[in-house]
Amino acid sequence: MRARPHVVVVGAGFGGLNAAKRLEREPVDVTVIDRHNYHQFLPLLYQVATAGLNAADVAYPVRALFRRQRRVFFRKEEVVGVDLDRHQVRLAGGPPISYDYLILAAGSTTAYFGVEGAAEFAFPLYTLEHAVILRNHILSLFEAADSDPSLIEEGVLNIVVVGGGPTGVEVAGAMVELVDKVLADDFHDLDVHRARIILIEQMDHLLGAFSDRSRQYALRALESRGVQVRLGTTVRRVTPTAVHLVTGEVIPTRCLVWAAGVRAGELAEHVAVTRGRSGRIVVNADLSVPGHPNVFAVGDLAEIDDGCGGRLPQLAQVAIQSGRHAAEQVLHTIERRPRTSFRYLDKGTMATIGRRAAVAELPGGRRLTGPVAWLAWLGLHLVYLLGVRNRLSVFVNWAWNYLTWDRGPRLILRPEVLPHAPRPPSDANHVGTLAGDTSPPDGGSADAEP
Amino acid sequence: MRARPHVVVVGAGFGGLNAAKRLEREPVDVTVIDRHNYHQFLPLLYQVATAGLNAADVAYPVRALFRRQRRVFFRKEEVVGVDLDRHQVRLAGGPPISYDYLILAAGSTTAYFGVEGAAEFAFPLYTLEHAVILRNHILSLFEAADSDPSLIEEGVLNIVVVGGGPTGVEVAGAMVELVDKVLADDFHDLDVHRARIILIEQMDHLLGAFSDRSRQYALRALESRGVQVRLGTTVRRVTPTAVHLVTGEVIPTRCLVWAAGVRAGELAEHVAVTRGRSGRIVVNADLSVPGHPNVFAVGDLAEIDDGCGGRLPQLAQVAIQSGRHAAEQVLHTIERRPRTSFRYLDKGTMATIGRRAAVAELPGGRRLTGPVAWLAWLGLHLVYLLGVRNRLSVFVNWAWNYLTWDRGPRLILRPEVLPHAPRPPSDANHVGTLAGDTSPPDGGSADAEP
C-alpha cells in the first residue's frame, strides 16, 4: 500500500517528462514508464541522421533527470495496454502497475497511409534508433558506390524525402549539405555531384502550416541549395530500389525517408477510449479522458481542441504545456480544487532549411526568415535540450560544423534493429538488395555485414 | 595501370594509419582497407563501456583523415586473404586489389584460450561495437534488477572481469565508479550496494608488465575502491549465469568481461606466412615478411624482435612506430636506398585505476603513481586521440565527470550484433536467460526487446 497517491506517466517525451517534472516535489509518488531508458529530443533527430550530432547529444537518461527525487521512479518497459476498470497499466515484461492517476503521453509514430511498400522499405525518423539506422544506411550507400561506381547509374546515391512539412524540409536541407560539403570531400574518387536529393510534397507548396511568404522562402532556399522539389505529387508505391509516383515517374533510390505523416502511438489502440483523427485519444477540456476523470492524455497522443473548432497540432510546445496541465489537474483533484481547462499558449513555429536559413512564425503574425530565424532556431533548441552537458556538446558541434563545414560522427555503427520498429531496408552492402531483390529484408543478422 | 607504386594498408588502427600518414605526401598511391569506416581508439573503449564517453568520441572517420590527400584511398571492406604470388588482397565483398607494396596492420583480437563457454558468453572489449554492447548490457542488468529485485540474489548485479593486465584493471576500476557513484543514484530504489565487482587474475599479482611497487599500488587502489581482487586463480568454465573458477568457486554473474588475452587478428591465418606466438606473423628486422620483401607486418599482428631475445609487447606505441617504419622501408625501396632495421623507442607504459589513481612507468626506471600519473595519463590520451573535435569532446566529458561525479551517455542504444564478432550473451530482459536458459543466445532479433 502506498501512503501517497500514485501517478503513472506513460512516455518520457516532452509531454510525459513535463508532467513528471511538475509533480516531482509534490506529495505524490510518480512512476515514469518508457521503452527507452532515455528521453529523445525529436526536433534534432534529423541532425543525427545526417551526421551533424552524436546520438548521445540528443538523448538524456530519464533516471538522471530524477536522481535527487526519491519519490519519482522509472521503469524501462513497454506498455501494452491499460485496464481502465482495474486502474492498471499492463506491461510487456512484468506484472501490471496500479495507478491512482494515469497520464498517457506515449507520443506518435509514422503514418504510411497504406502506401504499398512504404512500411517495409521507407526509412522513418521517429526514434534515435531510426536516426542512427538512417545515418548508417546513407554512409553505407556511398561506400557501396565507391566500391562499385556502376551503382550510381542505378540511383544508389539518390535520396528521396517524402513530405514537405518541417521535418521533410529539415531532412532535405541537411542531406544536401552533408552530400555537397562533406561526402564530396570524403569520397574524392566518386562522382558525388551525381547524387540527387529529391523532396516530394502532395500539396502545391511546402510547409503547409506556415504563411505564403515562408513557404516560398523555403522553396527558394532548398532549390538554390540543390534540392529537387516536386510539388503536387505523391507516392504510389515503394520498392527496395525505387519510388513510384502517382504521375507515373519512377525515381531509382535505395534511400526513401518518410516524413509524410504522424499518427498516435500504438498504445492508443490498446486503451478502451474514443479516438479521433490519426488515432488520437479524444479528451475533455481538462485533458482527462471522457468517463475516466483520473486518466489523462497529452501531447501527440491526444486530440486537443484548439478552442476555435479545430485541433491543436502535434508540436513539442503542445506536448510540454499539456503534460504540465494534466499534472496540475492531478494536484487540483488531490487538493479538492476545481479543475481547469487547458489553454494553449502559441509560441510560434519554426523550421530550419540549413546553414543560415530558417523560417519562424511568431504569434501575432510576426515572421522571420534567413540568418535571424536560423539563429533564433539554434538558440531555442539549445534552451529546450535537456542537460548542461548535452547543450555544451551540441553547441560545440554546431560551432565546429559552422566554422569548418565539417561533420563529426559520420560513423557506420550499427544499432540493432528492434522488432517493434518498422524494419529498415537491407543495407546497401547486402548483395541481394543491390541486385534488386524484392523480398522483404529481415532485421538482425541477415541485415549485417557479410 | 597505375603510374605510381600502389601501397595497400590493411587495417586503420594505430599501425595502419601511421603507415598511411607517413606516405600521404609521397609519390605513391595508398589504399587503406578496414572493415569499419572509422579508426577506433582502443585505449579508451573501456570508458565507452562504462558510460564515461560517447562512442563517437573514440572513433574517427578514416576518410576524414585523408580528405585533402587525393592519392590516399579508402575501402570499407573485410580482407579475407592475401595472394602473395599474385600480389593481391582478397576482399569479402568485391574483386581483389593488386598491390606493389603491402602493409598488414590488422591488429589483434581476444584470446579465449579454449575456456569452455568463454567465446559464447563472455563480453570482449576489442571494438567499439563491443564497448556499446557491454554498456547496453550492464545498464539492462540494472534495469532488470530494478523491475525484479529477486534477481539480485541470482547475481544479476555481479560484474566479473577476467585478466589483471592494464585493460582488466582499467575496466574494473571504471566499473566500480560507475556502480557506486552513478548507478547508485540513478537506481535509488535498488540495493545497488549489493552489486559486486570482481577481478580475476591468474598470476599472484596484477599488472604483470609493471614493477612490484606499481602492482601493489594498483591492488591497494582497486581494493580500497571496492573491487574484490582474486589472484592466483583462473576460469574453468563460463555459463550464461555464472563463472566457474578452477578452485571450484562458482560466482553467479551475467556479465563476464574478458580482458585476459589477445592473439593476432584472424587475417594472419589466411596468409601463407610463418606465425609465431599468439598467431603473430614473424617478420625480419626491417618488418618485412620472410621471402616477401614487399610485404610488411606491423603492430599487434607482427611478432617483432625486441633486440634482447624477446618479443615486443602488443602496445599502441609499438604499432605506431612499426607502422611508420614499414612505410619508410617502402620509400627506401622505391628510392633504391638500403632498408633499415626497426628500433623500438620505449616511451613507457601506463594504466589508470580510476579517479586520481594511475600508474606510469617511464624509460630509465622512473615510476609515477597516484594523481600525477593520472594527470599524465589523461594528457597523453588526449594527445594521441585523433581529431580536434574528439579531443574537445573527451576533455569536456572528463572535466564534467570529474567535477560532477556524473556520467553522460548511459543510454541503452543497441548496436546490431555483427556475425563476425563473438556473440554476446542475451540481454538481461530476455526471460530465457534470466531463468537460467543455457542455450547459446542468438544475435539479432532474438536478443532484442520483446
Side-chain angles (χ1 to χ4, degrees):
Chain A
M1 284 295 291
R2 289 176 187 271
R4 299 146 54 114
H6 186 211
V7 185
V8 172
V9 178
V10 178
F14 286 120
L17 282 193
N18 278 280
K21 274 281 161 198
R22 180 63 189 81
L23 295 170
E24 67 183 357
R25 289 170 212 282
E26 303 291 342
V28 293
D29 283 358
V30 180
T31 299
V32 178
I33 310 173
D34 198 285
R35 66 162 67 129
H36 297 113
N37 77 333
Y38 48 84
H39 164 77
Q40 16 194 13
F41 192 74
L42 300 185
L44 292 179
L45 288 185
Y46 80 94
Q47 296 214 357
V48 175
T50 53
L53 293 174
N54 295 322
D57 292 338
V58 302
Y60 198 86
V62 180
R63 292 183 182 280
L65 284 172
F66 299 108
R67 306 183 79 178
R68 306 291 168 217
Q69 270 66 47
R70 301 279 142 176
R71 306 311 302 170
V72 180
F73 305 89
F74 175 71
R75 290 290 299 279
K76 181 182 173 295
E77 264 290 1
E78 176 120 12
V79 173
V80 293
V82 177
D83 190 331
L84 293 168
D85 296 329
R86 292 189 185 170
H87 293 210
Q88 284 186 332
V89 170
R90 289 198 305 273
L91 305 177
I97 295 181
S98 296
Y99 61 80
D100 298 308
Y101 298 90
L102 177 63
I103 298 175
L104 295 169
S108 50
T109 183
T110 312
Y112 293 108
F113 308 114
V115 171
E116 184 188 336
E120 291 83 1
F121 304 117
F123 285 83
L125 192 50
Y126 236 85
T127 68
L128 194 51
E129 288 109 340
H130 291 161
V132 177
I133 287 167
L134 181 55
R135 183 191 69 197
N136 287 344
H137 183 69
I138 290 166
L139 296 172
S140 296
L141 289 174
F142 277 77
E143 293 291 347
D146 195 56
S147 291
D148 179 2
S150 75
L151 291 171
I152 302 176
E153 215 58 61
E154 298 176 24
V156 83
L157 297 186
N158 294 348
I159 297 166
V160 179
V161 180
V162 180
T167 304
V169 165
E170 288 175 338
V171 170
M175 286 291 177
V176 80
E177 284 188 1
L178 173 68
V179 171
D180 280 6
K181 305 297 179 193
V182 182
L183 299 184
D185 272 346
D186 276 4
F187 293 83
H188 48 64
D189 206 30
L190 184 68
D191 279 345
V192 171
H193 67 271
R194 290 175 65 194
R196 290 156 69 201
I197 318 290
I198 299 161
L199 176 62
I200 294 170
E201 164 58 39
Q202 187 168 14
M203 313 291 277
D204 60 1
H205 52 258
L206 300 173
L207 298 178
F210 289 68
S211 69
D212 202 53
R213 216 188 72 178
S214 296
R215 292 170 182 173
Q216 303 212 347
Y217 172 85
L219 179 63
R220 276 197 316 274
L222 281 179
E223 287 186 333
S224 73
R225 281 147 202 258
V227 176
Q228 301 177 14
V229 182
R230 308 279 168 87
L231 297 173
T233 185
T234 59
V235 175
R236 170 168 291 153
R237 195 157 75 88
V238 184
T239 73
T241 57
V243 52
H244 299 247
L245 304 185
V246 290
T247 56
E249 190 185 2
V250 179
I251 305 171
T253 181
R254 283 166 176 82
C255 184
L256 179 73
V257 183
W258 194 266
V262 294
R263 58 184 173 84
E266 209 190 325
L267 176 62
E269 299 165 26
H270 302 297
V271 188
V273 292
T274 309
R275 291 188 290 133
R277 276 178 53 198
S278 309
R280 294 198 271 172
I281 295 175
V282 172
V283 291
N284 296 322
D286 65 352
L287 303 181
S288 68
V289 173
H292 301 280
N294 291 356
V295 178
F296 300 84
V298 304
D300 285 8
L301 194 69
E303 183 163 276
I304 306 173
D305 208 308
D306 68 357
C308 313
R311 305 280 175 256
L312 288 175
Q314 285 160 309
L315 294 175
Q317 271 301 327
V318 175
I320 290 169
Q321 295 177 30
S322 63
R324 202 176 292 144
H325 184 83
E328 277 160 4
Q329 301 316 299
V330 169
L331 297 175
H332 282 210
T333 310
I334 292 169
E335 296 160 4
R336 300 177 192 281
R337 289 192 284 142
R339 293 193 178 183
T340 59
S341 296
F342 175 59
R343 294 282 295 274
Y344 174 59
L345 175 65
D346 183 11
K347 296 190 175 179
T349 47
M350 305 178 104
T352 187
I353 291 118
R355 209 178 172 78
R356 289 206 294 262
V359 295
E361 306 215 331
L362 308 180
R366 250 191 84 103
R367 289 181 214 108
L368 300 172
T369 53
V372 177
W374 185 69
L375 282 174
W377 182 92
L378 293 177
L380 214 70
H381 282 74
L382 280 178
V383 167
Y384 277 98
L385 198 65
L386 284 175
V388 175
R389 191 209 310 240
N390 282 10
R391 278 182 207 142
L392 204 60
S393 179
V394 168
F395 180 77
V396 165
N397 273 282
W398 281 349
W400 183 272
N401 296 350
Y402 185 78
L403 295 172
T404 65
W405 293 90
D406 192 17
R407 301 273 169 129
R410 46 192 185 278
L411 316 175
I412 303 177
L413 182 65
R414 290 167 190 289
E416 191 173 47
V417 177
L418 299 179
H420 62 251
R423 293 185 174 188
S426 282
D427 186 88
N429 286 328
H430 188 245
V431 178
T433 305
L434 285 178
D437 180 9
T438 54
S439 63
D442 192 36
S445 55
D447 193 20
E449 294 184 347
Chain B
M1 283 297 290
R2 289 175 186 271
R4 300 145 55 114
H6 186 211
V7 185
V8 172
V9 178
V10 178
F14 287 120
L17 281 194
N18 278 280
K21 274 280 162 200
R22 179 65 188 82
L23 295 170
E24 65 183 357
R25 289 169 212 281
E26 303 290 344
V28 293
D29 284 356
V30 179
T31 298
V32 179
I33 309 173
D34 198 285
R35 66 162 67 128
H36 296 115
N37 77 332
Y38 48 85
H39 164 76
Q40 20 193 9
F41 191 73
L42 300 185
L44 292 180
L45 287 185
Y46 80 95
Q47 296 214 358
V48 175
T50 54
L53 292 175
N54 295 322
D57 293 337
V58 302
Y60 199 86
V62 179
R63 292 185 183 277
L65 284 170
F66 299 108
R67 306 184 78 178
R68 307 288 167 219
Q69 270 67 48
R70 302 278 142 175
R71 305 312 302 169
V72 180
F73 305 89
F74 174 72
R75 289 290 300 276
K76 181 182 174 294
E77 265 290 0
E78 176 119 15
V79 173
V80 294
V82 177
D83 190 330
L84 293 168
D85 296 329
R86 294 190 185 170
H87 293 209
Q88 285 186 331
V89 170
R90 288 199 305 273
L91 305 178
I97 295 181
S98 295
Y99 61 80
D100 298 307
Y101 298 89
L102 177 64
I103 299 177
L104 296 169
S108 50
T109 184
T110 312
Y112 293 109
F113 308 114
V115 170
E116 185 188 336
E120 290 84 359
F121 304 116
F123 285 83
L125 192 49
Y126 235 85
T127 68
L128 194 51
E129 287 108 341
H130 292 161
V132 177
I133 287 167
L134 181 55
R135 182 191 70 195
N136 286 344
H137 183 68
I138 289 165
L139 295 173
S140 295
L141 290 174
F142 277 76
E143 292 290 348
D146 195 57
S147 292
D148 180 2
S150 74
L151 292 170
I152 303 176
E153 215 58 60
E154 297 176 25
V156 82
L157 298 186
N158 294 347
I159 298 164
V160 179
V161 181
V162 180
T167 303
V169 165
E170 288 175 338
V171 170
M175 286 288 178
V176 81
E177 284 188 2
L178 173 67
V179 171
D180 281 6
K181 304 297 178 195
V182 182
L183 299 184
D185 272 346
D186 275 3
F187 293 83
H188 46 66
D189 205 31
L190 184 69
D191 279 344
V192 172
H193 67 270
R194 291 174 66 194
R196 291 156 69 202
I197 317 290
I198 300 162
L199 177 62
I200 293 170
E201 164 58 38
Q202 186 168 15
M203 313 291 277
D204 60 1
H205 53 257
L206 299 173
L207 297 178
F210 288 70
S211 70
D212 202 49
R213 216 189 71 178
S214 296
R215 292 170 181 174
Q216 302 213 348
Y217 171 84
L219 179 63
R220 275 198 315 274
L222 281 179
E223 287 186 333
S224 73
R225 282 150 201 257
V227 176
Q228 300 178 17
V229 182
R230 309 279 168 86
L231 297 172
T233 185
T234 59
V235 173
R236 171 168 292 152
R237 195 157 76 87
V238 184
T239 73
T241 57
V243 50
H244 299 246
L245 305 185
V246 290
T247 57
E249 188 185 3
V250 179
I251 304 171
T253 181
R254 281 166 177 83
C255 184
L256 180 74
V257 183
W258 195 266
V262 293
R263 59 185 172 82
E266 210 189 323
L267 176 62
E269 298 165 26
H270 302 297
V271 188
V273 293
T274 310
R275 291 187 293 136
R277 276 177 53 198
S278 310
R280 295 199 272 173
I281 296 175
V282 172
V283 291
N284 297 321
D286 64 353
L287 305 181
S288 68
V289 173
H292 301 279
N294 291 358
V295 178
F296 300 85
V298 303
D300 284 8
L301 193 70
E303 184 161 276
I304 306 172
D305 207 308
D306 69 356
C308 313
R311 305 282 175 254
L312 288 176
Q314 285 159 309
L315 293 175
Q317 270 301 327
V318 175
I320 290 168
Q321 295 177 30
S322 62
R324 203 175 292 144
H325 185 83
E328 277 160 3
Q329 299 320 297
V330 170
L331 297 175
H332 283 208
T333 310
I334 292 169
E335 296 157 4
R336 299 178 190 282
R337 289 190 285 141
R339 292 192 178 184
T340 59
S341 296
F342 176 60
R343 294 282 296 275
Y344 175 59
L345 174 65
D346 183 10
K347 296 192 174 177
T349 48
M350 307 178 105
T352 187
I353 291 116
R355 209 177 170 77
R356 289 204 296 261
V359 296
E361 308 216 327
L362 308 180
R366 252 190 83 103
R367 287 182 215 107
L368 300 172
T369 54
V372 177
W374 185 69
L375 281 174
W377 182 93
L378 292 177
L380 215 68
H381 282 74
L382 279 179
V383 167
Y384 277 99
L385 197 64
L386 284 176
V388 175
R389 189 207 312 239
N390 282 9
R391 277 180 207 142
L392 203 60
S393 179
V394 168
F395 179 77
V396 166
N397 272 283
W398 281 349
W400 183 271
N401 296 349
Y402 185 78
L403 295 173
T404 64
W405 293 90
D406 190 18
R407 302 271 171 131
R410 45 192 185 280
L411 315 177
I412 304 177
L413 183 65
R414 293 167 188 288
E416 193 173 44
V417 177
L418 298 178
H420 63 250
R423 294 190 176 185
S426 282
D427 184 88
N429 287 328
H430 188 244
V431 178
T433 306
L434 287 177
D437 179 10
T438 54
S439 64
D442 192 35
S445 55
D447 194 21
E449 294 183 346

